[in-house]
Amino acid sequence: MTRYAIASVLLAALCLGAPSLQADTPPTRKIELTRMDERLFATLDFRDIIDGPLQKKLTSGLPTRIVVQVNLEGHNKNKPLSYWVRSVSIVYDLWEEVFVVTVEDDQGQRRAQVKTSGEAVTLACRVERSAVAQIGELPGGVYRLRVSVEVNPVSKEMVENIRRWLARPSGGGEVSHGSFFGSFVGIFVDRRIGQADRSSTFVSQWFRVGGQ
Amino acid sequence: MHRRRSSVCALALLALQVPAFALAQEPVQLADVDFESETENDGAEDDLPQVRWVSSPLEGAQEIPPEAEQSAVPRYDLERIVVIGNRKTQRHVILRYIEVSPGETFQASDPRLETARYRLLASGLFHDVDLSLARGSKRGKAILTVRVDERNTILVRQIVAGFSELTPYGSLDIGDHSFFGTKVDVSTAAVFSKKQYGYRLRLSDNHFLRSDFGLHIEGLYSHARDFFGHESVCVETCPAPESPAGYDNFAVMRYDRAGLRLGSSYALPAGAFLHLTHRIEEVSAHMPPAASHVSFGETRPIVFGHLQPGHSIVSSLTLGIVRDTRDNIWLPSTGNRTALDVEVATELIGSNYEFSKFTLSHDEHFPLGRKHSLKLGLFAGLIMGDAPFFDQFFVGDFSAFVPSRVLDLNFSHLQPNLLKTAVQEMRYEDLSASISLEYSIPLYRGHGFFYGINAYFGLGAFMLASRDHLRTETDRYKGFRAVPMDLTVDLGVRVDTRIGPIVFNLANLFRLIPAVGDRTAQE
């Protein structure tokens, strides 16, 4: 009887925990995956992250940065097994009327000029058959890719600075019971500050390596 | 039968533990592809634009000549800066945050432009800030447009409503953190109870005369009273003629305070801030000519908070440093905040009270699994000399079971006594230390009106003592009970909203219920 009670409690606890476990799993997108020379090649397309307002922002004359991170992860493994990152900057030249697209990844830096924002977005948000992981030494098993995309991510240094600007008002001493210098600015600041303009995470389908 | 049920349970557990894997499709086998010899066109590259890469894909970033790098990202001469959307905020206030000036040549990727946007957002004056460039009057020139979406800056900052065992009380703190659009913070607060009231007016400019120094001014006035004596209190005559028991519950001291604080702050590297404050106050105190109580089992005269009868002056200088690395001001999950303050009041600056006050606090936030977090809070304070009672450490500052002071006014004579130690004899004291643990669980995170909701449970221990009674063993307090310490617990919910933080806690809830007990005395 005691065992049933324990089992019931465990079951109930797991039932309560299950929704949050599922909520942490990002959506799955079918990604074209191939292997060559012990390397894993992926074709990614995340053009949908550039929505209407961001499309408009592309012509602001200021840079729009898109950073994609691809992690290889095994089943029930918390740590990524490999890590690949690509950063793309799009800047509209006001006088030449072209979009300057700069790509940086493990292949180095390269730059191109295109005439339309659609072309710029395609260059930035399509990864065509890129080697995203070494899989030659992996033990046989089931794996998948976790892809995180951020538009205009905020650097760690900038986040530190923002924190400093926000913290300033509370930097006062409590000479009475309540901060004398507490001008409460931090309270009214939108909590989104310090986050990317857009971010999206998705995972690939599971795929098998070795152990056939 | 039992075994079958157990198997069903085990299966159910397994299914719940690995929902993602169980729901996934059958893993696919990777295909080997030789890109060089591949002839079949799957059409994947059809919509890729035909481009000519300026530099080779295999060329390292460091190998690109500097002149090529400079020519690739557009450069402009800044013709002028246009500010749009500022109905209230003065233009010069916005321009203060922008480090590029007209006439300057800059690159489109200049980090100062991104910094300007975040500094404007961090000012708290705007919902949104958008920067963009447009063609100037001549080729190579550009106009920088700063479009701001202002937010309401007049807000209620704190509302307190409560009942103590003596009186109902309430306070309101309201302010404008950009007074007439100048980014100068002005606020006013008032507190009322049956026989006490207080006002405070604050003005704070973090960039006084556009410098990196802040100027902070505060005026304070209060008409108040406080309650002294522990048990068997006699005021003037003993036994008390009007009390059936022959004793009063406490002796009342009336006092008025009118003062001014003037301070400056300066930002140091690594997120630290330095501040210096001068405070000057006139205190007018009226206390009974004689009063006694039983304390530590002995009848002793009541010390009325070290205040001098009649008029006196408190004048002090406070130097402090604060370092704050928390990830969020109201719902932190990592980082820490450390504050050290030293206050000195001396005859040299016109004070009738000579004392030094040292306080050191440190809060460390530890992130745990599933976004839960644990806060360790440490505090230590020491006063040397005879500080007025309103500058001393008060039991309500540490115990959740005693109402905290509001604008320095106290509305309660309650004493905590969970551990039945000598702490029940302590109210306003010179030595204090506390340690607390608080476990936080995030319940909600969002970007709408509510930014986040955390449930929390806190447990703490504190020590509060006068130097004379740090460990005085008497018949009443022996062994560990001679150490004036107690426990405090609290449970509640913190809500971070667009208009400010709101806290609902069990301690506040208790205080909203009028106390029913043996303390029938009125304020």
Side-chain angles (χ1 to χ4, degrees), chain A residues 14 20 35 60 96 107 109 111 177 188 208, chain B residues 28 32 54 57 64 133 151 370 405 408:
Chain A
L14 281 164
S20 60
R35 68 182 295 170
S60 69
E96 298 294 336
Q107 299 292 298
Q109 189 186 65
R111 186 171 291 120
H177 302 281
F188 308 115
R208 192 178 297 282
Chain B
V28 297
D32 284 312
V54 174
I64 296 174
L133 296 170
R151 66 194 315 161
R370 301 184 73 174
R405 289 181 281 188
D408 282 356

mmCIF file with all atom_site columns, all heavy atoms in Angstrom, chain A residues 14 20 35 60 96 107 109 111 177 188 208, chain B residues 28 32 54 57 64 133 151 370 405 408:
data_model
loop_
_atom_site.group_PDB
_atom_site.id
_atom_site.type_symbol
_atom_site.label_atom_id
_atom_site.label_alt_id
_atom_site.label_comp_id
_atom_site.label_asym_id
_atom_site.label_entity_id
_atom_site.label_seq_id
_atom_site.pdbx_PDB_ins_code
_atom_site.Cartn_x
_atom_site.Cartn_y
_atom_site.Cartn_z
_atom_site.occupancy
_atom_site.B_iso_or_equiv
_atom_site.pdbx_formal_charge
_atom_site.auth_seq_id
_atom_site.auth_comp_id
_atom_site.auth_asym_id
_atom_site.auth_atom_id
_atom_site.pdbx_PDB_model_num
ATOM 1   N N   . LEU A 1 14  ? 5.630  14.018 -11.306 1.00 0.00 ? 14  LEU A N   1
ATOM 2   C CA  . LEU A 1 14  ? 6.118  14.008 -12.683 1.00 0.00 ? 14  LEU A CA  1
ATOM 3   C C   . LEU A 1 14  ? 5.101  14.598 -13.641 1.00 0.00 ? 14  LEU A C   1
ATOM 4   O O   . LEU A 1 14  ? 5.456  15.274 -14.600 1.00 0.00 ? 14  LEU A O   1
ATOM 5   C CB  . LEU A 1 14  ? 6.483  12.579 -13.104 1.00 0.00 ? 14  LEU A CB  1
ATOM 6   C CG  . LEU A 1 14  ? 7.835  12.130 -12.568 1.00 0.00 ? 14  LEU A CG  1
ATOM 7   C CD1 . LEU A 1 14  ? 7.970  10.622 -12.671 1.00 0.00 ? 14  LEU A CD1 1
ATOM 8   C CD2 . LEU A 1 14  ? 8.953  12.802 -13.350 1.00 0.00 ? 14  LEU A CD2 1
ATOM 9   N N   . SER A 1 20  ? 6.364  21.547 -17.999 1.00 0.00 ? 20  SER A N   1
ATOM 10  C CA  . SER A 1 20  ? 7.485  22.464 -18.101 1.00 0.00 ? 20  SER A CA  1
ATOM 11  C C   . SER A 1 20  ? 8.618  21.834 -18.890 1.00 0.00 ? 20  SER A C   1
ATOM 12  O O   . SER A 1 20  ? 9.354  22.523 -19.581 1.00 0.00 ? 20  SER A O   1
ATOM 13  C CB  . SER A 1 20  ? 7.966  22.897 -16.721 1.00 0.00 ? 20  SER A CB  1
ATOM 14  O OG  . SER A 1 20  ? 8.362  21.768 -16.007 1.00 0.00 ? 20  SER A OG  1
ATOM 15  N N   . ARG A 1 35  ? 26.387 14.166 -44.842 1.00 0.00 ? 35  ARG A N   1
ATOM 16  C CA  . ARG A 1 35  ? 27.731 14.041 -44.291 1.00 0.00 ? 35  ARG A CA  1
ATOM 17  C C   . ARG A 1 35  ? 28.731 13.850 -45.418 1.00 0.00 ? 35  ARG A C   1
ATOM 18  O O   . ARG A 1 35  ? 28.430 13.258 -46.452 1.00 0.00 ? 35  ARG A O   1
ATOM 19  C CB  . ARG A 1 35  ? 27.818 12.900 -43.286 1.00 0.00 ? 35  ARG A CB  1
ATOM 20  C CG  . ARG A 1 35  ? 27.663 11.519 -43.891 1.00 0.00 ? 35  ARG A CG  1
ATOM 21  C CD  . ARG A 1 35  ? 27.719 10.458 -42.825 1.00 0.00 ? 35  ARG A CD  1
ATOM 22  N NE  . ARG A 1 35  ? 29.035 10.410 -42.195 1.00 0.00 ? 35  ARG A NE  1
ATOM 23  C CZ  . ARG A 1 35  ? 29.292 9.703  -41.100 1.00 0.00 ? 35  ARG A CZ  1
ATOM 24  N NH1 . ARG A 1 35  ? 28.314 9.016  -40.504 1.00 0.00 ? 35  ARG A NH1 1
ATOM 25  N NH2 . ARG A 1 35  ? 30.493 9.657  -40.597 1.00 0.00 ? 35  ARG A NH2 1
ATOM 26  N N   . SER A 1 60  ? 17.500 51.578 -42.577 1.00 0.00 ? 60  SER A N   1
ATOM 27  C CA  . SER A 1 60  ? 17.748 52.695 -41.657 1.00 0.00 ? 60  SER A CA  1
ATOM 28  C C   . SER A 1 60  ? 19.138 53.272 -41.824 1.00 0.00 ? 60  SER A C   1
ATOM 29  O O   . SER A 1 60  ? 19.447 54.331 -41.277 1.00 0.00 ? 60  SER A O   1
ATOM 30  C CB  . SER A 1 60  ? 17.574 52.236 -40.205 1.00 0.00 ? 60  SER A CB  1
ATOM 31  O OG  . SER A 1 60  ? 18.628 51.353 -39.858 1.00 0.00 ? 60  SER A OG  1
ATOM 32  N N   . GLU A 1 96  ? 24.921 54.980 -52.205 1.00 0.00 ? 96  GLU A N   1
ATOM 33  C CA  . GLU A 1 96  ? 25.105 53.997 -53.281 1.00 0.00 ? 96  GLU A CA  1
ATOM 34  C C   . GLU A 1 96  ? 23.836 53.187 -53.510 1.00 0.00 ? 96  GLU A C   1
ATOM 35  O O   . GLU A 1 96  ? 23.706 52.481 -54.510 1.00 0.00 ? 96  GLU A O   1
ATOM 36  C CB  . GLU A 1 96  ? 26.254 53.035 -52.934 1.00 0.00 ? 96  GLU A CB  1
ATOM 37  C CG  . GLU A 1 96  ? 27.614 53.700 -52.786 1.00 0.00 ? 96  GLU A CG  1
ATOM 38  C CD  . GLU A 1 96  ? 28.122 54.289 -54.089 1.00 0.00 ? 96  GLU A CD  1
ATOM 39  O OE1 . GLU A 1 96  ? 27.701 53.822 -55.164 1.00 0.00 ? 96  GLU A OE1 1
ATOM 40  O OE2 . GLU A 1 96  ? 28.920 55.246 -54.026 1.00 0.00 ? 96  GLU A OE2 1
ATOM 41  N N   . GLN A 1 107 ? 34.905 30.142 -41.837 1.00 0.00 ? 107 GLN A N   1
ATOM 42  C CA  . GLN A 1 107 ? 35.587 30.292 -43.123 1.00 0.00 ? 107 GLN A CA  1
ATOM 43  C C   . GLN A 1 107 ? 36.226 31.679 -43.262 1.00 0.00 ? 107 GLN A C   1
ATOM 44  O O   . GLN A 1 107 ? 36.804 31.985 -44.293 1.00 0.00 ? 107 GLN A O   1
ATOM 45  C CB  . GLN A 1 107 ? 34.583 30.108 -44.271 1.00 0.00 ? 107 GLN A CB  1
ATOM 46  C CG  . GLN A 1 107 ? 33.916 28.734 -44.288 1.00 0.00 ? 107 GLN A CG  1
ATOM 47  C CD  . GLN A 1 107 ? 34.908 27.634 -44.635 1.00 0.00 ? 107 GLN A CD  1
ATOM 48  O OE1 . GLN A 1 107 ? 35.468 27.631 -45.719 1.00 0.00 ? 107 GLN A OE1 1
ATOM 49  N NE2 . GLN A 1 107 ? 35.127 26.722 -43.705 1.00 0.00 ? 107 GLN A NE2 1
ATOM 50  N N   . GLN A 1 109 ? 36.003 36.036 -43.119 1.00 0.00 ? 109 GLN A N   1
ATOM 51  C CA  . GLN A 1 109 ? 35.057 37.119 -43.387 1.00 0.00 ? 109 GLN A CA  1
ATOM 52  C C   . GLN A 1 109 ? 34.950 37.362 -44.896 1.00 0.00 ? 109 GLN A C   1
ATOM 53  O O   . GLN A 1 109 ? 35.947 37.306 -45.607 1.00 0.00 ? 109 GLN A O   1
ATOM 54  C CB  . GLN A 1 109 ? 35.553 38.405 -42.715 1.00 0.00 ? 109 GLN A CB  1
ATOM 55  C CG  . GLN A 1 109 ? 34.531 39.517 -42.770 1.00 0.00 ? 109 GLN A CG  1
ATOM 56  C CD  . GLN A 1 109 ? 35.097 40.824 -42.231 1.00 0.00 ? 109 GLN A CD  1
ATOM 57  O OE1 . GLN A 1 109 ? 36.022 41.397 -42.799 1.00 0.00 ? 109 GLN A OE1 1
ATOM 58  N NE2 . GLN A 1 109 ? 34.524 41.289 -41.140 1.00 0.00 ? 109 GLN A NE2 1
ATOM 59  N N   . ARG A 1 111 ? 32.409 39.666 -47.944 1.00 0.00 ? 111 ARG A N   1
ATOM 60  C CA  . ARG A 1 111 ? 31.435 40.755 -48.035 1.00 0.00 ? 111 ARG A CA  1
ATOM 61  C C   . ARG A 1 111 ? 30.856 40.799 -49.440 1.00 0.00 ? 111 ARG A C   1
ATOM 62  O O   . ARG A 1 111 ? 31.541 40.497 -50.423 1.00 0.00 ? 111 ARG A O   1
ATOM 63  C CB  . ARG A 1 111 ? 32.138 42.063 -47.705 1.00 0.00 ? 111 ARG A CB  1
ATOM 64  C CG  . ARG A 1 111 ? 31.238 43.247 -47.615 1.00 0.00 ? 111 ARG A CG  1
ATOM 65  C CD  . ARG A 1 111 ? 31.969 44.450 -47.084 1.00 0.00 ? 111 ARG A CD  1
ATOM 66  N NE  . ARG A 1 111 ? 32.325 44.288 -45.690 1.00 0.00 ? 111 ARG A NE  1
ATOM 67  C CZ  . ARG A 1 111 ? 33.545 44.301 -45.219 1.00 0.00 ? 111 ARG A CZ  1
ATOM 68  N NH1 . ARG A 1 111 ? 34.571 44.465 -46.032 1.00 0.00 ? 111 ARG A NH1 1
ATOM 69  N NH2 . ARG A 1 111 ? 33.779 44.163 -43.937 1.00 0.00 ? 111 ARG A NH2 1
ATOM 70  N N   . HIS A 1 177 ? 15.539 55.345 6.028   1.00 0.00 ? 177 HIS A N   1
ATOM 71  C CA  . HIS A 1 177 ? 15.087 53.993 5.700   1.00 0.00 ? 177 HIS A CA  1
ATOM 72  C C   . HIS A 1 177 ? 14.435 54.019 4.343   1.00 0.00 ? 177 HIS A C   1
ATOM 73  O O   . HIS A 1 177 ? 13.245 54.149 4.198   1.00 0.00 ? 177 HIS A O   1
ATOM 74  C CB  . HIS A 1 177 ? 14.178 53.463 6.798   1.00 0.00 ? 177 HIS A CB  1
ATOM 75  C CG  . HIS A 1 177 ? 14.900 53.482 8.103   1.00 0.00 ? 177 HIS A CG  1
ATOM 76  N ND1 . HIS A 1 177 ? 15.804 52.510 8.440   1.00 0.00 ? 177 HIS A ND1 1
ATOM 77  C CD2 . HIS A 1 177 ? 14.934 54.413 9.073   1.00 0.00 ? 177 HIS A CD2 1
ATOM 78  C CE1 . HIS A 1 177 ? 16.342 52.823 9.610   1.00 0.00 ? 177 HIS A CE1 1
ATOM 79  N NE2 . HIS A 1 177 ? 15.834 53.965 10.010  1.00 0.00 ? 177 HIS A NE2 1
ATOM 80  N N   . PHE A 1 188 ? 11.266 51.730 -13.977 1.00 0.00 ? 188 PHE A N   1
ATOM 81  C CA  . PHE A 1 188 ? 10.414 52.074 -15.112 1.00 0.00 ? 188 PHE A CA  1
ATOM 82  C C   . PHE A 1 188 ? 11.008 51.681 -16.459 1.00 0.00 ? 188 PHE A C   1
ATOM 83  O O   . PHE A 1 188 ? 10.450 51.991 -17.484 1.00 0.00 ? 188 PHE A O   1
ATOM 84  C CB  . PHE A 1 188 ? 10.119 53.568 -15.085 1.00 0.00 ? 188 PHE A CB  1
ATOM 85  C CG  . PHE A 1 188 ? 9.598  54.003 -13.751 1.00 0.00 ? 188 PHE A CG  1
ATOM 86  C CD1 . PHE A 1 188 ? 10.300 54.864 -12.969 1.00 0.00 ? 188 PHE A CD1 1
ATOM 87  C CD2 . PHE A 1 188 ? 8.408  53.474 -13.276 1.00 0.00 ? 188 PHE A CD2 1
ATOM 88  C CE1 . PHE A 1 188 ? 9.831  55.240 -11.727 1.00 0.00 ? 188 PHE A CE1 1
ATOM 89  C CE2 . PHE A 1 188 ? 7.945  53.837 -12.036 1.00 0.00 ? 188 PHE A CE2 1
ATOM 90  C CZ  . PHE A 1 188 ? 8.649  54.721 -11.265 1.00 0.00 ? 188 PHE A CZ  1
ATOM 91  N N   . ARG A 1 208 ? 20.658 9.597  -37.004 1.00 0.00 ? 208 ARG A N   1
ATOM 92  C CA  . ARG A 1 208 ? 21.499 8.559  -36.428 1.00 0.00 ? 208 ARG A CA  1
ATOM 93  C C   . ARG A 1 208 ? 22.907 8.639  -37.033 1.00 0.00 ? 208 ARG A C   1
ATOM 94  O O   . ARG A 1 208 ? 23.066 8.864  -38.231 1.00 0.00 ? 208 ARG A O   1
ATOM 95  C CB  . ARG A 1 208 ? 20.889 7.180  -36.725 1.00 0.00 ? 208 ARG A CB  1
ATOM 96  C CG  . ARG A 1 208 ? 21.509 6.049  -35.933 1.00 0.00 ? 208 ARG A CG  1
ATOM 97  C CD  . ARG A 1 208 ? 20.815 4.736  -36.251 1.00 0.00 ? 208 ARG A CD  1
ATOM 98  N NE  . ARG A 1 208 ? 19.399 4.733  -35.867 1.00 0.00 ? 208 ARG A NE  1
ATOM 99  C CZ  . ARG A 1 208 ? 18.958 4.567  -34.625 1.00 0.00 ? 208 ARG A CZ  1
ATOM 100 N NH1 . ARG A 1 208 ? 19.812 4.398  -33.640 1.00 0.00 ? 208 ARG A NH1 1
ATOM 101 N NH2 . ARG A 1 208 ? 17.665 4.553  -34.377 1.00 0.00 ? 208 ARG A NH2 1
ATOM 102 N N   . VAL B 2 28  ? 16.590 9.665  -38.615 1.00 0.00 ? 28  VAL B N   1
ATOM 103 C CA  . VAL B 2 28  ? 16.939 9.377  -40.005 1.00 0.00 ? 28  VAL B CA  1
ATOM 104 C C   . VAL B 2 28  ? 18.411 9.024  -40.086 1.00 0.00 ? 28  VAL B C   1
ATOM 105 O O   . VAL B 2 28  ? 19.216 9.425  -39.248 1.00 0.00 ? 28  VAL B O   1
ATOM 106 C CB  . VAL B 2 28  ? 16.640 10.573 -40.924 1.00 0.00 ? 28  VAL B CB  1
ATOM 107 C CG1 . VAL B 2 28  ? 15.159 10.876 -40.948 1.00 0.00 ? 28  VAL B CG1 1
ATOM 108 C CG2 . VAL B 2 28  ? 17.433 11.796 -40.487 1.00 0.00 ? 28  VAL B CG2 1
ATOM 109 N N   . ASP B 2 32  ? 25.492 9.974  -47.336 1.00 0.00 ? 32  ASP B N   1
ATOM 110 C CA  . ASP B 2 32  ? 26.822 10.445 -47.738 1.00 0.00 ? 32  ASP B CA  1
ATOM 111 C C   . ASP B 2 32  ? 26.703 11.121 -49.089 1.00 0.00 ? 32  ASP B C   1
ATOM 112 O O   . ASP B 2 32  ? 26.139 10.559 -50.033 1.00 0.00 ? 32  ASP B O   1
ATOM 113 C CB  . ASP B 2 32  ? 27.793 9.273  -47.837 1.00 0.00 ? 32  ASP B CB  1
ATOM 114 C CG  . ASP B 2 32  ? 28.230 8.821  -46.466 1.00 0.00 ? 32  ASP B CG  1
ATOM 115 O OD1 . ASP B 2 32  ? 28.605 9.691  -45.661 1.00 0.00 ? 32  ASP B OD1 1
ATOM 116 O OD2 . ASP B 2 32  ? 28.140 7.611  -46.181 1.00 0.00 ? 32  ASP B OD2 1
ATOM 117 N N   . VAL B 2 54  ? 33.268 40.195 -52.173 1.00 0.00 ? 54  VAL B N   1
ATOM 118 C CA  . VAL B 2 54  ? 34.367 41.151 -52.251 1.00 0.00 ? 54  VAL B CA  1
ATOM 119 C C   . VAL B 2 54  ? 35.676 40.481 -51.854 1.00 0.00 ? 54  VAL B C   1
ATOM 120 O O   . VAL B 2 54  ? 36.715 40.688 -52.431 1.00 0.00 ? 54  VAL B O   1
ATOM 121 C CB  . VAL B 2 54  ? 34.080 42.373 -51.353 1.00 0.00 ? 54  VAL B CB  1
ATOM 122 C CG1 . VAL B 2 54  ? 35.280 43.299 -51.318 1.00 0.00 ? 54  VAL B CG1 1
ATOM 123 C CG2 . VAL B 2 54  ? 32.858 43.105 -51.875 1.00 0.00 ? 54  VAL B CG2 1
ATOM 124 N N   . PRO B 2 57  ? 35.894 33.641 -49.554 1.00 0.00 ? 57  PRO B N   1
ATOM 125 C CA  . PRO B 2 57  ? 35.309 33.018 -48.379 1.00 0.00 ? 57  PRO B CA  1
ATOM 126 C C   . PRO B 2 57  ? 36.344 32.405 -47.454 1.00 0.00 ? 57  PRO B C   1
ATOM 127 O O   . PRO B 2 57  ? 36.127 32.273 -46.267 1.00 0.00 ? 57  PRO B O   1
ATOM 128 C CB  . PRO B 2 57  ? 34.397 31.930 -48.967 1.00 0.00 ? 57  PRO B CB  1
ATOM 129 C CG  . PRO B 2 57  ? 34.120 32.361 -50.357 1.00 0.00 ? 57  PRO B CG  1
ATOM 130 C CD  . PRO B 2 57  ? 35.325 33.113 -50.802 1.00 0.00 ? 57  PRO B CD  1
ATOM 131 N N   . ILE B 2 64  ? 42.081 41.141 -44.314 1.00 0.00 ? 64  ILE B N   1
ATOM 132 C CA  . ILE B 2 64  ? 41.470 42.175 -45.157 1.00 0.00 ? 64  ILE B CA  1
ATOM 133 C C   . ILE B 2 64  ? 42.183 43.496 -44.900 1.00 0.00 ? 64  ILE B C   1
ATOM 134 O O   . ILE B 2 64  ? 42.331 43.915 -43.768 1.00 0.00 ? 64  ILE B O   1
ATOM 135 C CB  . ILE B 2 64  ? 39.966 42.315 -44.832 1.00 0.00 ? 64  ILE B CB  1
ATOM 136 C CG1 . ILE B 2 64  ? 39.272 41.021 -45.194 1.00 0.00 ? 64  ILE B CG1 1
ATOM 137 C CG2 . ILE B 2 64  ? 39.355 43.474 -45.583 1.00 0.00 ? 64  ILE B CG2 1
ATOM 138 C CD1 . ILE B 2 64  ? 37.833 41.004 -44.788 1.00 0.00 ? 64  ILE B CD1 1
ATOM 139 N N   . LEU B 2 133 ? 19.319 56.679 -40.182 1.00 0.00 ? 133 LEU B N   1
ATOM 140 C CA  . LEU B 2 133 ? 20.063 57.663 -40.966 1.00 0.00 ? 133 LEU B CA  1
ATOM 141 C C   . LEU B 2 133 ? 19.302 57.964 -42.243 1.00 0.00 ? 133 LEU B C   1
ATOM 142 O O   . LEU B 2 133 ? 18.613 57.097 -42.784 1.00 0.00 ? 133 LEU B O   1
ATOM 143 C CB  . LEU B 2 133 ? 21.450 57.109 -41.316 1.00 0.00 ? 133 LEU B CB  1
ATOM 144 C CG  . LEU B 2 133 ? 22.405 56.844 -40.135 1.00 0.00 ? 133 LEU B CG  1
ATOM 145 C CD1 . LEU B 2 133 ? 23.635 56.084 -40.610 1.00 0.00 ? 133 LEU B CD1 1
ATOM 146 C CD2 . LEU B 2 133 ? 22.807 58.147 -39.466 1.00 0.00 ? 133 LEU B CD2 1
ATOM 147 N N   . ARG B 2 151 ? 7.250  57.718 -22.340 1.00 0.00 ? 151 ARG B N   1
ATOM 148 C CA  . ARG B 2 151 ? 6.361  57.043 -21.395 1.00 0.00 ? 151 ARG B CA  1
ATOM 149 C C   . ARG B 2 151 ? 5.999  58.018 -20.280 1.00 0.00 ? 151 ARG B C   1
ATOM 150 O O   . ARG B 2 151 ? 6.672  59.033 -20.090 1.00 0.00 ? 151 ARG B O   1
ATOM 151 C CB  . ARG B 2 151 ? 7.019  55.794 -20.827 1.00 0.00 ? 151 ARG B CB  1
ATOM 152 C CG  . ARG B 2 151 ? 8.221  56.066 -19.962 1.00 0.00 ? 151 ARG B CG  1
ATOM 153 C CD  . ARG B 2 151 ? 9.022  54.815 -19.705 1.00 0.00 ? 151 ARG B CD  1
ATOM 154 N NE  . ARG B 2 151 ? 8.164  53.705 -19.372 1.00 0.00 ? 151 ARG B NE  1
ATOM 155 C CZ  . ARG B 2 151 ? 8.527  52.427 -19.456 1.00 0.00 ? 151 ARG B CZ  1
ATOM 156 N NH1 . ARG B 2 151 ? 9.722  52.121 -19.888 1.00 0.00 ? 151 ARG B NH1 1
ATOM 157 N NH2 . ARG B 2 151 ? 7.716  51.466 -19.109 1.00 0.00 ? 151 ARG B NH2 1
ATOM 158 N N   . ARG B 2 370 ? 16.222 24.916 -13.225 1.00 0.00 ? 370 ARG B N   1
ATOM 159 C CA  . ARG B 2 370 ? 14.862 25.301 -13.601 1.00 0.00 ? 370 ARG B CA  1
ATOM 160 C C   . ARG B 2 370 ? 14.554 26.752 -13.260 1.00 0.00 ? 370 ARG B C   1
ATOM 161 O O   . ARG B 2 370 ? 13.443 27.110 -12.891 1.00 0.00 ? 370 ARG B O   1
ATOM 162 C CB  . ARG B 2 370 ? 13.847 24.362 -12.940 1.00 0.00 ? 370 ARG B CB  1
ATOM 163 C CG  . ARG B 2 370 ? 14.051 22.900 -13.338 1.00 0.00 ? 370 ARG B CG  1
ATOM 164 C CD  . ARG B 2 370 ? 13.015 22.005 -12.770 1.00 0.00 ? 370 ARG B CD  1
ATOM 165 N NE  . ARG B 2 370 ? 11.753 22.193 -13.438 1.00 0.00 ? 370 ARG B NE  1
ATOM 166 C CZ  . ARG B 2 370 ? 10.681 21.448 -13.221 1.00 0.00 ? 370 ARG B CZ  1
ATOM 167 N NH1 . ARG B 2 370 ? 10.739 20.468 -12.348 1.00 0.00 ? 370 ARG B NH1 1
ATOM 168 N NH2 . ARG B 2 370 ? 9.577  21.678 -13.860 1.00 0.00 ? 370 ARG B NH2 1
ATOM 169 N N   . ARG B 2 405 ? 9.501  50.677 9.699   1.00 0.00 ? 405 ARG B N   1
ATOM 170 C CA  . ARG B 2 405 ? 9.253  52.114 9.786   1.00 0.00 ? 405 ARG B CA  1
ATOM 171 C C   . ARG B 2 405 ? 8.908  52.671 8.397   1.00 0.00 ? 405 ARG B C   1
ATOM 172 O O   . ARG B 2 405 ? 9.390  52.165 7.386   1.00 0.00 ? 405 ARG B O   1
ATOM 173 C CB  . ARG B 2 405 ? 10.507 52.810 10.318  1.00 0.00 ? 405 ARG B CB  1
ATOM 174 C CG  . ARG B 2 405 ? 10.750 52.518 11.774  1.00 0.00 ? 405 ARG B CG  1
ATOM 175 C CD  . ARG B 2 405 ? 11.974 53.217 12.283  1.00 0.00 ? 405 ARG B CD  1
ATOM 176 N NE  . ARG B 2 405 ? 13.202 52.532 11.919  1.00 0.00 ? 405 ARG B NE  1
ATOM 177 C CZ  . ARG B 2 405 ? 14.406 52.871 12.379  1.00 0.00 ? 405 ARG B CZ  1
ATOM 178 N NH1 . ARG B 2 405 ? 14.527 53.878 13.204  1.00 0.00 ? 405 ARG B NH1 1
ATOM 179 N NH2 . ARG B 2 405 ? 15.492 52.212 12.018  1.00 0.00 ? 405 ARG B NH2 1
ATOM 180 N N   . ASP B 2 408 ? 10.711 56.860 8.502   1.00 0.00 ? 408 ASP B N   1
ATOM 181 C CA  . ASP B 2 408 ? 11.313 56.871 9.841   1.00 0.00 ? 408 ASP B CA  1
ATOM 182 C C   . ASP B 2 408 ? 10.296 56.836 10.984  1.00 0.00 ? 408 ASP B C   1
ATOM 183 O O   . ASP B 2 408 ? 10.690 56.881 12.148  1.00 0.00 ? 408 ASP B O   1
ATOM 184 C CB  . ASP B 2 408 ? 12.228 58.095 10.051  1.00 0.00 ? 408 ASP B CB  1
ATOM 185 C CG  . ASP B 2 408 ? 13.576 57.906 9.381   1.00 0.00 ? 408 ASP B CG  1
ATOM 186 O OD1 . ASP B 2 408 ? 13.814 56.813 8.823   1.00 0.00 ? 408 ASP B OD1 1
ATOM 187 O OD2 . ASP B 2 408 ? 14.380 58.844 9.417   1.00 0.00 ? 408 ASP B OD2 1
#
